[in-house]
Amino acid sequence: MIFNVMDFGAVGDGVTNDGRAIQAAVDACAESRGGQVLIPGGRTYRSGTIVLKSFVELHLENGAVLKASDHMEDFNLFHVPMNYDAGLDVPTYENCDYTGKPALYFLYAKDCHDVKITGFGSIDGNEEIFYGKVSPWHIDGKFYPRMPLLFLEHVEHLSILQVTLTHSAFWTTHLVGCEDVLIDGIRILNNLKLANGDGIDPDHCKNVRISNCHIESADDCIVFKNTEGAMEYGSCENICVTNCTLISTSAAIKFGTESAAPFRNITVQNCNIHHTNRGISMQMRDQGCIENVLFSNLNIETRMFSKEHWWGSAEPVCITAVKRREDTNLGYVKNVTFQNINCVSENGIMLYGDEHREKGHNIENITFENIRVRMIKKTDWPKDIHDLRPACEHPMVKGPMAVVYARYADNVRFHNLSYVIEEPVKAYVETDYNVEHCEDVVINGEKL
């Protein structure tokens, strides 16, 4: 059955709040045990929170725009007391610890199944109403956390297909404890200056497929999370990412920093990453672990962005495992493989583990096969800073660049690593391989 929102009173004039009409169509669809809620094309529909339900397909026709209301109180689904103009005491690039529980929601679902968001229309988060401090390189928000575009918790058999998601003021697609997820052919087009505008965040999710997507986002494009507020859902595992194009002012593919539970059995293949501050970033900061991960057949192009505002230093691959807080019982990163990767980057590959481990190190069994690195100067941002944020100590470590920079890591193998350091970059490189406090590091057959 088709439930056209116009039949429930929607106007679609870009001014009227059509939220009640859209919600009525969703409720009628769910009560009928399923069908399609149709958002007709050629119109803009303004709305506050919409709660999706089991067996409902929200379908946006080509040319349809579902745009967030101008009034933040329209998204306060659970009536949480808030000061929307409170401002931030500390900017988010200095402190963005997050439990995973926002106060505001646009599209929301919880404890349901067989939910679909489809069509060639677009969903617009109306980012401007959340702006705080604005600079030429960075836009922070009025408060933290802000409103995710999609917040879907404990949804089984979830599909997000073809739609365009744009102008999100916070994590665009936050999936919490979801199982059997298919995200295919979507576009995420966010402001490359607006902080915390992640693209897709599977958080404690299982059996996820992300394919054929194009994502442009400030902060990170695809981010695997294990937030403290959703520990009941267990690990984040059995995930495949393939055939995506990614642009980010932070990391294109990231693990963490919220890492309170294990990440396991994840593959990333056949993707193109460009105009990005970090290509792949694995950031272990909490008590979980990252293991059994494969990256293959990637093209990665990086360049540095503002060193103050964006984490990272243009590394094509960066693995860090350091404590978020002094009392953190820090986890580990192991059994990770990188194969067939072309890197054109303003920095080299970095591995940096916990220097305080009494026995062994917490980065181990890392393999690189058929890796090509071309280091090239693209910007005038400082080149002598290794960025470990967030970290309880030494968040920014000064030192020269290297093709491979490794600290406190064990059993690292590079097979068939080739590289070129172009002339302007050589001034920042003291040695091609900068390896210290490691055990059993072998590069092209040479043990370092």
Side-chain angles (χ1 to χ4, degrees):
M1 296 179 64
I2 295 178
F3 299 81
N4 189 324
V5 298
M6 304 297 285
D7 296 336
F8 290 81
V11 178
D13 61 1
V15 178
T16 304
N17 189 328
D18 290 320
R20 288 187 178 180
I22 297 170
Q23 189 64 60
V26 169
D27 294 345
C29 182
E31 289 169 6
S32 298
R33 299 297 293 169
Q36 183 185 89
V37 174
L38 178 65
I39 310 289
R43 296 174 180 270
T44 297
Y45 305 81
R46 305 300 296 270
S47 180
T49 303
I50 297 170
V51 179
L52 301 178
K53 299 181 178 181
S54 295
F55 300 116
V56 170
E57 175 187 354
L58 181 68
H59 182 81
L60 294 96
E61 286 188 335
N62 201 3
V65 179
L66 177 60
K67 185 173 182 179
S69 162
D70 289 330
H71 307 289
M72 292 189 195
E73 58 269 22
D74 290 342
F75 309 104
N76 198 332
L77 179 63
F78 300 110
H79 309 291
V80 177
M82 288 189 67
N83 179 358
Y84 300 112
D85 297 306
L88 294 171
D89 295 329
V90 179
T92 54
Y93 52 84
E94 291 185 10
N95 182 14
C96 61
D97 289 355
Y98 179 43
T99 65
K101 299 293 185 182
L104 307 182
Y105 304 91
F106 190 16
L107 268 65
Y108 174 88
K110 188 174 188 295
D111 298 331
C112 53
H113 54 87
D114 297 281
V115 174
K116 291 185 177 181
I117 302 171
T118 68
F120 288 100
S122 62
I123 302 173
D124 186 324
N126 195 17
E127 63 177 55
E128 292 89 349
I129 67 171
F130 297 94
Y131 282 7
K133 184 177 180 180
V134 178
S135 81
W137 308 281
H138 181 268
I139 301 172
D140 220 333
K142 290 182 179 179
F143 52 89
Y144 183 93
R146 299 182 294 283
M147 182 181 76
L149 199 70
L150 310 181
F151 186 93
L152 310 173
E153 181 174 353
H154 194 216
V155 178
E156 295 185 4
H157 318 309
L158 168 67
S159 299
I160 305 173
L161 311 174
Q162 302 169 332
V163 294
T164 295
L165 309 177
T166 189
H167 301 139
S168 180
F170 197 63
W171 297 3
T172 307
T173 308
H174 188 182
L175 312 175
V176 183
C178 296
E179 294 195 30
D180 183 9
V181 177
L182 174 63
I183 301 177
D184 189 86
I186 75 168
R187 296 172 176 86
I188 296 178
L189 306 175
N190 285 339
N191 188 335
L192 288 172
K193 292 184 180 180
L194 182 56
N196 317 119
D198 296 357
I200 301 172
D201 294 69
D203 183 359
H204 297 275
C205 291
K206 297 175 176 64
N207 305 322
V208 179
R209 292 89 69 208
I210 301 170
S211 59
N212 307 312
C213 298
H214 176 72
I215 303 175
E216 301 179 15
S217 61
D219 275 332
D220 313 298
C221 292
I222 299 174
V223 199
F224 308 111
K225 300 283 190 183
N226 280 315
T227 54
E228 291 185 2
M231 289 295 286
E232 68 267 31
Y233 299 118
S235 59
C236 193
E237 63 185 14
N238 303 332
I239 299 174
C240 301
V241 177
T242 186
N243 299 339
C244 293
T245 51
L246 308 172
I247 299 172
S248 171
T249 37
S250 196
I253 301 287
K254 189 171 92 171
F255 290 65
T257 61
E258 293 83 359
S259 48
F263 303 90
R264 295 193 181 101
N265 309 331
I266 297 174
T267 64
V268 179
Q269 299 176 302
N270 305 330
C271 293
N272 286 307
I273 295 167
H274 64 102
H275 198 69
T276 294
N277 197 30
R278 269 180 176 156
I280 298 165
S281 181
M282 309 183 88
Q283 294 179 264
M284 174 54 58
R285 295 296 182 272
D286 304 303
Q287 70 268 21
C289 66
I290 302 171
E291 59 187 355
N292 305 335
V293 181
L294 171 65
F295 300 92
S296 67
N297 302 331
L298 308 178
N299 292 307
I300 300 175
E301 297 182 8
T302 67
R303 52 146 290 170
M304 292 185 182
F305 289 81
S306 167
K307 291 300 300 175
E308 178 184 11
H309 299 99
W310 303 108
W311 294 352
S313 299
E315 307 95 340
V317 175
C318 182
I319 303 175
T320 58
V322 295
K323 291 184 177 183
R324 183 189 301 275
R325 294 177 289 270
E326 289 186 3
D327 62 350
T328 298
N329 183 18
L330 187 62
Y332 59 83
V333 181
K334 70 177 182 180
N335 302 338
V336 181
T337 299
F338 300 85
Q339 296 176 331
N340 305 326
I341 300 178
N342 297 309
C343 309
V344 178
S345 53
E346 208 168 6
N347 206 337
I349 296 167
M350 182 168 86
L351 300 88
Y352 200 111
D354 180 20
E355 63 183 285
H356 300 297
R357 298 268 289 196
E358 294 182 2
K359 184 177 181 181
H361 295 129
N362 62 343
I363 297 177
E364 60 177 336
N365 301 338
I366 313 296
T367 301
F368 296 83
E369 300 176 348
N370 300 326
I371 310 297
R372 289 162 291 280
V373 178
R374 179 185 169 206
M375 293 177 65
I376 180 172
K377 184 176 183 292
K378 298 182 179 182
T379 71
D380 293 327
W381 294 109
K383 305 290 190 289
D384 62 344
I385 299 174
H386 303 290
D387 191 346
L388 302 178
R389 293 177 292 180
C392 65
E393 59 179 28
H394 314 308
M396 308 284 272
V397 178
K398 281 191 170 283
M401 293 194 302
V403 177
V404 176
Y405 176 85
R407 294 286 186 278
Y408 312 106
D410 297 341
N411 192 19
V412 179
R413 295 288 188 274
F414 285 83
H415 305 291
N416 193 23
L417 168 67
S418 61
Y419 58 91
V420 173
I421 306 172
E422 296 206 348
E423 194 60 42
V425 179
K426 288 182 178 179
Y428 307 103
V429 178
E430 290 184 0
T431 179
D432 295 357
Y433 308 144
N434 189 346
V435 177
E436 294 184 358
H437 310 294
C438 295
E439 293 290 337
D440 199 18
V441 175
V442 177
I443 301 179
N444 293 343
E446 178 184 359
K447 188 170 183 177
L448 302 181

